[in-house]
């Protein structure tokens, strides 16, 4: 499943893994469509948060020592004779992996590391416990005697350069033989090492998620067959940019039906709401906790989100063609029997106001024709109110009381972003002129707009 | 003039030293090997790294073999994976860093017997600094950075506490010319630092040309684009955070102006421009001064001709206030 354009990149950029294996795990992240796998991801985060015998800081410090030796291990597995540097890598990895294993003690099964003590012993036959690797004398009696002679000749200067060079060369030959033997003896452990590498990657990645949960105040959602409900849903990216300008994000509390229509004027935040829902859904299906106080969510097999013009620009399509492409994708998903979540921001807006609403109404009808999909559409066409059987949500929009009582504040002060559930009898919001005025658009021009609306003296009247 | 007879006394005062050559084949390696030997004899654990044209075992121009460094048992060193594998002696691998170069990653190791190796440490300055830090952490008591061929940049005060400059017959074919070029280099390396109150104001400034008078304002993005009116900068401090070229220095030749470069490695002005600037009454300083310990001279050039080292040393000593050694003679060896 391709990732929707909902700001997930921002969230992923905040995931701070420590090891290259953890980073690899993050890079390979994909959408999960199996609820049990998502639950498992969640359980693991709770394991790290609550069931570790050590603190997260301690775990992080321990992980930071661990090298990625994937390439070297591959070479070991393939039967190569390893060089000193590679043997150092295997030794270093095994030592730190063993230390981490000891630290984790009686931990949950998924983070239990394989036993690499034999590997450590092979690479540290003298039991020094040091990370550094040296082909020490105890590997081979002959090596010890050659080195002893080199040492003596070099200290006492009792032999010529050529003789010492020959002895050094002899030493290198013996070392090379030892390296071949060592590699052969280590080979049976290659599988265990790769097991340890992936477990460490998983542990690192899970720790990074736990830290993110704390940093962004994310919550574990309940998984439901069909319910979709949030309290305190927010968008971390928008919230952080609002915070920089000294404003707060107003979280949403909402229960969503299978057919949802979000209406509201310009600039009231319909798009932010849709984006927040899609972001939460994407995070959820990537195994992350979600930005809310509580959340109940459904796992979908397909997720189609059309966020607006930007997407069409990026793929070089006209707005309308872009919109239609996403619509077709949703239709195909529905036809193939997938359980889909389809979210379209202002569907039909890029065509004329006569045909546009028809697209909106038809999309709602068609995409909910099966009983497994959920459709969330936003619109500022008044015809949206005629959609059959849809849950109508409205962004409250302009706070006229504030407009009349206080002047010259930032426009956001006058807009109430909260969502209310409404019925069809509601007066459809018409706030374009008012919002343009608050944005500081030229007064004379706005007067002309109003006269046109009313069909006044200077405007060409369209209706008697 | 303070006459120091042995180069070892000089380096005993500083925790780290870079050896930089004014040109290729100025005998840098001879100096380096000599210092390693001296340190080993005194049981001082040396840490060796280099900055260089990577993989240059053969001198690209003259095809004479680049001499390997002769390490002593116990010496710590940083080199590329490939050069490490080609070493002559047994060694302990202590660390491995992903400072990638065409020769692989950087290995930090310790020699377990005396023997030869090509040292090819990382060239990127941040990696070099990290390597120096690692060598110190692993117990190196004296760091020696082998500078790049004909590149003075590792002499930057950011890398080491002091430097030794190697010069010699390969720099030019006449004693006069060698002396002239060496004296110019020494003059740049020995430039004085600005007063600490000015240094404090200059340190946070970003790239560009800045004028410091009562306030501080940016004159240009780089020295190349600089247009100045003499009256504007007279008795002011002009700080060039970037390269300082001959042309820029000439434009700044105004009485009572102080021109400040970041450090000597950023100055690319020739000796005529420097004189022109001084004659006009300007003063050249650096934000981060370097400490030059000594100049070493190699009287042989790779093309085979040999200059009389006594004459060269005598001429240099007359001009310089630092000790001058002949790398092939007692002074060093």
């Amino acid at each position: 499943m391709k990732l929707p354009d909902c700001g997930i990149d921002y969230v992923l950029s905040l995931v701070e893994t420590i090891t290259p294996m953890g980073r690899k795990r993050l890079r390979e992240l994909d959408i999960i469509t199996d609820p049990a796998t998502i639950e498992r991801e969640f359980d693991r985060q709770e394991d790290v948060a609550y069931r570790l015998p050590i603190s997260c800081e301690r775990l992080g410090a321990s992980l930071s020592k661990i090298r990625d030796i994937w390439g070297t291990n591959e070479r070991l597995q393939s039967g190569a004779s390893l060089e000193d540097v590679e043997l150092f890598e295997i030794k270093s990895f095994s030592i730190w992996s063993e230390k981490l294993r000891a630290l984790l003690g009686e931990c949950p099964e998924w983070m239990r590391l394989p036993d690499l003590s034999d590997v450590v012993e092979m690479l540290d036959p003298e039991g020094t416990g040091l990370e550094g690797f040296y082909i020490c004398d105890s590997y081979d009696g002959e090596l010890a005697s050659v080195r002893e002679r080199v040492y003596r000749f070099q200290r006492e200067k009792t032999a010529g350069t050529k003789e010492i060079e020959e002895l050094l060369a002899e030493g290198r030959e013996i070392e090379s033989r030892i390296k071949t033997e060592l590699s052969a003896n280590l080979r049976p452990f290659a599988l265990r090492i790769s097991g340890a590498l992936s477990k460490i990657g998983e542990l690192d990645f899970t720790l990074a998620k736990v830290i993110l949960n704390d940093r962004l105040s994310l919550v574990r959602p309940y998984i439901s067959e069909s319910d979709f409900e949030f309290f305190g849903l927010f968008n971390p990216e928008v919230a952080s940019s609002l915070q920089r300008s000294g404003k707060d994000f107003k979280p949403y509390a909402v229960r969503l039906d299978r057919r949802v229509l979000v209406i509201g004027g310009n600039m009231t935040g319909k798009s932010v709401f849709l984006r927040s829902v899609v972001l939460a859904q994407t995070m959820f299906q990537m195994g992350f906790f979600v930005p809310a106080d509580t959340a109940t969510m459904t796992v979908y097999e397909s997720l189609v989100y059309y966020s607006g013009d930007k997407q069409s620009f990026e793929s070089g399509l006209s707005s309308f063609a872009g919109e239609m492409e996403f619509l077709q994708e949703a239709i195909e998903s529905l036809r193939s029997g997938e359980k889909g979540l389809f979210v379209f921001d202002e569907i039909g807006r890029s065509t004329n106001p006569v045909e546009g609403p028809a697209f909106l109404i038809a999309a709602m009808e068609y995409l909910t024709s099966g009983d497994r999909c959920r459709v969330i559409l936003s619109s500022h066409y008044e015809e949206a109110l005629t959609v059959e059987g849809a849950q109508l949500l409205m962004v409250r929009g302009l706070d006229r009381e504030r407009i009349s009582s206080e002047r010259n504040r930032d426009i956001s002060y006058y807009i109430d972003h909260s969502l209310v559930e409404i019925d069809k009898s509601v007066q459809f919001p018409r706030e374009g002129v008012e919002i343009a005025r608050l944005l500081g658009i030229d007064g004379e021009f706005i007067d002309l707009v109003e006269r046109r609306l009313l069909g006044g003296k200077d405007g060409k009247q369209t209706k008697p | 003039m303070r006459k120091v007879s042995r180069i070892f006394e000089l380096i005993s005062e500083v925790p780290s030293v870079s050896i930089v050559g004014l040109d290729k084949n100025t005998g840098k390696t001879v100096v380096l090997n000599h210092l390693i030997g001296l340190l080993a004899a005194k049981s001082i654990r040396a840490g060796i790294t280099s900055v260089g044209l990577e993989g240059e075992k053969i001198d690209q121009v003259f095809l004479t073999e680049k001499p390997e460094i002769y390490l002593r048992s116990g010496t710590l060193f940083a080199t590329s994976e490939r050069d490490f594998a080609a070493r002559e002696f047994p060694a302990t691998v202590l660390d491995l860093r992903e400072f990638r170069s065409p020769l692989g990653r950087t290995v930090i190791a310790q020699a377990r017997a005396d023997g030869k190796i090509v040292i090819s440490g990382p060239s990127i300055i941040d990696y070099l600094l990290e390597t120096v830090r690692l060598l110190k952490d692993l117990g190196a008591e004296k760091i020696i950075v082998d500078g790049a061929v004909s590149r003075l940049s590792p002499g930057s005060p950011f890398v080491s506490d002091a430097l030794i400059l190697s010069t010699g017959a390969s720099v030019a074919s006449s004693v006069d010319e060698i002396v002239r070029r060496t004296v110019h280099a020494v003059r740049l390396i020995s430039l004085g630092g600005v007063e600490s109150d000015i240094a404090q104001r200059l340190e946070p400034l970003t790239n560009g040309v800045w004028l410091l008078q009562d306030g501080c304002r940016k004159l240009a993005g780089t020295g190349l684009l600089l247009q100045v009116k003499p009256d504007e900068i007279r008795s002011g401090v002009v700080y060039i955070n970037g390269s300082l070229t001959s042309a820029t220095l000439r434009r700044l030749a105004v009485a009572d102006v102080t021109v400040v470069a970041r450090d000597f490695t950023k100055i690319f002005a020739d000796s005529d421009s420097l004189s022109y600037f001084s004659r006009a009454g300007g003063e050249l300083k650096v934000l981060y001064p370097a400490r030059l310990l000594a100049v070493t001279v190699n009287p042989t050039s790779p093309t085979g001709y040999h200059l009389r080292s006594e004459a060269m040393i005598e001429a240099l000593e007359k001009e310089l206030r630092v000790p001058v050694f002949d790398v092939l003679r007692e002074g060093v060896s």
Side-chain angles (χ1 to χ4, degrees), chain A residues 67 89 132-133 154 172, chain B residues 87-88 93 95-96 105 114:
Chain A
R67 296 164 194 274
E89 288 184 275
F133 175 72
Q154 286 185 336
R172 287 200 299 276
Chain B
R87 76 196 181 283
E88 195 180 33
V93 181
D95 207 338
L96 181 66
R105 300 170 289 184
D114 304 351

Side-chain angles (χ1 to χ4, degrees), chain A residues 4 20 23 31 51 54 58 66 69 81 114 145 160 165 167 169 174 194-195 233 241 322-323 345 408 444-445:
Chain A
R23 272 190 287 286
I31 298 278
R51 281 180 278 281
I54 52 169
R58 187 91 189 277
I66 301 180
I69 60 159
S81 170
S145 110
E165 276 178 5
L167 272 177
I174 301 170
S194 65
L233 174 70
S241 91
E323 209 176 307
D345 197 356
N408 299 325
E444 210 173 302
F445 176 75

Side-chain angles (χ1 to χ4, degrees), chain A residues 14-29:
Chain A
L14 301 178
V15 181
E16 289 177 0
T17 52
I18 296 167
T19 66
M21 294 75 83
R23 272 190 287 286
K24 188 161 170 262
R25 180 71 177 73
L26 174 64
R27 273 199 308 276
E28 288 168 356
L29 205 56

